[in-house]
Amino acid sequence: MEEGPARAENPGAGISPGPTLSVVVPCFNEEKNLPVLVNRINQAMGSAGIPGEIVLVNDGSRDGTGAAIDLLSRQFQNVRAVHHGANRGIVEGWRSGLAASGGDFVLTTDADLQYAPEDIPLLYREMVSGGWDLVQGWRKEREEPDRIRDLLSVGLSRMLQWIFSMDLQDVKSGFICYRKEVFRDILDYRQKYFSFQSLITVAARFKGYRIRQVPITFFRRHAGESFIQRPLLFSIQAATDLPKAFYEYRMRKRR
């Protein structure tokens, strides 16, 4: 495992601070990615003068993810460790990370480095300067496209855009910077969903929040394997959320 300095200072030290940022990262069997992830996030935030923290949520991992997170929290003053005893899924990881966060803004990203940490300042600057409620990175370019996964992902995204009449790009991207109170409200929903993480932009739009999208590049996974081992089955199961979301966000809104 790669190791950072004995104790790292918070990013942006000595720079006039803006709003603080909490980067929340749900982690499931991501031991090999975490040292690189934390170092790249800290470098990106430090270079941009962004004050804040990294909240790593161990979601019941079966490898050395928990130990890696604890080690990083000792090495870096701005890394917070959160642990789930069992796997509870991405959304519960977000909820736990949000509860542990102290930033004015919360940015969600994955641990596999498919969303580049170097794009964090891009989303943060849009939030600070544009008065948005959330800024989403949409995957305009892909480093190494997986045709089957891309077809399924784009298909579901277009279904969401059509059903919910949203003139937006790539509404399924999980690389998003939120106002903290906005993120908390978006995670307050009534239906039981299989993959609510695919409906974040839908929920934000129908709750009346201001959304900004910026193009980013989506990279190949740095190490390890995705938790989605059967993409077709996952997409079919995710599609079962659409009637529930239609009722929650369109039908109930009309009443």
Side-chain angles (χ1 to χ4, degrees), residues 178-213:
Y178 308 81
R179 297 186 186 278
K180 189 173 184 178
E181 66 277 10
V182 168
F183 191 33
R184 184 179 293 111
D185 184 43
I186 287 172
L187 293 180
D188 180 19
Y189 53 85
R190 299 187 180 187
Q191 297 291 328
K192 185 175 181 180
Y193 295 102
F194 171 76
S195 178
F196 182 77
Q197 60 266 30
S198 300
L199 300 169
I200 284 289
T201 314
V202 172
R205 169 57 61 87
F206 282 89
K207 284 176 177 280
Y209 291 120
R210 297 161 296 176
I211 304 168
R212 169 72 167 165
Q213 292 189 310

Side-chain angles (χ1 to χ4, degrees), residues 135-243:
V135 176
Q136 181 178 42
W138 66 276
R139 296 164 289 187
K140 184 177 182 180
E141 304 291 341
R142 294 175 183 260
E143 184 181 36
E144 289 185 357
D146 181 319
R147 295 185 183 279
I148 294 177
R149 284 179 181 265
D150 285 356
L151 180 63
L152 293 170
S153 179
V154 170
L156 182 56
S157 180
R158 288 182 177 172
M159 286 179 65
L160 290 168
Q161 290 167 299
W162 175 66
I163 291 171
F164 296 100
S165 304
M166 296 191 299
D167 186 20
L168 294 169
Q169 304 283 346
D170 187 22
V171 297
K172 290 175 65 274
S173 169
F175 189 52
I176 306 176
C177 187
Y178 308 81
R179 297 186 186 278
K180 189 173 184 178
E181 66 277 10
V182 168
F183 191 33
R184 184 179 293 111
D185 184 43
I186 287 172
L187 293 180
D188 180 19
Y189 53 85
R190 299 187 180 187
Q191 297 291 328
K192 185 175 181 180
Y193 295 102
F194 171 76
S195 178
F196 182 77
Q197 60 266 30
S198 300
L199 300 169
I200 284 289
T201 314
V202 172
R205 169 57 61 87
F206 282 89
K207 284 176 177 280
Y209 291 120
R210 297 161 296 176
I211 304 168
R212 169 72 167 165
Q213 292 189 310
V214 294
I216 59 169
T217 297
F218 192 62
F219 295 88
R220 67 178 180 274
R221 167 178 273 273
H222 176 73
E225 296 181 352
S226 170
F227 75 94
I228 303 175
Q229 295 298 310
R230 302 171 69 182
L232 177 58
L233 177 61
F234 184 88
S235 295
I236 292 171
Q237 291 174 309
T240 64
D241 287 336
L242 298 182

Side-chain angles (χ1 to χ4, degrees), residues 50-67:
I50 301 173
E53 63 186 0
I54 306 168
V55 184
L56 302 176
V57 183
N58 172 29
D59 190 28
S61 298
R62 296 187 293 268
D63 63 356
T65 293

Side-chain angles (χ1 to χ4, degrees), residues 89-105:
I90 291 174
V91 174
E92 291 305 314
W94 285 343
R95 284 199 174 105
S96 295
L98 175 62
S101 67
D104 301 304
F105 299 155

Side-chain angles (χ1 to χ4, degrees), residues 62-82:
R62 296 187 293 268
D63 63 356
T65 293
I69 288 174
D70 287 337
L71 177 60
L72 289 163
S73 71
R74 293 193 295 270
Q75 291 175 338
F76 294 89
Q77 292 179 349
N78 68 321
V79 172
R80 295 193 183 193
V82 178

